[in-house]
Amino acid sequence: MLSPSSNIRRFASEYDIIESGLFNDNGTAWRLFDTEEPDPDKLPADSSLRRAYIGYFKKGGIMGWGFGIRPEKPL
């Protein structure tokens, strides 16, 4: 969903993922859109991240979760 040059992907690549999964539905989309609107055609598309998610959602994608640790870098 995100381009290889995405800052979010770069940030995530700094972590060793411990566990990840998918939510049962897209009920957590409010975290990205600040609304609980279920219709993707009515969601705000004012950023590349939001537009990418709307396209992903329309293709049947659902949000996921994950957690990891960020290894300490040597000084």
Side-chain angles (χ1 to χ4, degrees):
M1 176 175 96
L2 300 173
S3 75
S5 62
S6 161
N7 284 332
I8 293 172
R9 285 183 74 163
R10 182 193 52 75
F11 177 78
S13 73
E14 296 178 3
Y15 287 78
D16 292 332
I17 304 302
I18 304 297
E19 192 172 347
S20 64
L22 297 173
F23 290 109
N24 294 330
D25 59 25
N26 283 303
T28 58
W30 63 266
R31 296 172 191 258
L32 178 58
F33 295 102
D34 300 320
T35 179
E36 294 185 23
E37 174 60 57
D39 183 350
D41 292 321
K42 294 181 181 177
L43 293 171
D46 55 350
S47 73
S48 59
L49 176 61
R50 286 177 168 182
R51 287 188 294 276
Y53 180 76
I54 290 168
Y56 177 73
F57 181 68
K58 286 181 174 183
K59 292 177 184 175
I62 56 175
M63 292 184 100
W65 58 270
F67 67 90
I69 57 171
R70 186 173 180 215
E72 185 175 338
K73 293 181 182 180
L75 297 176

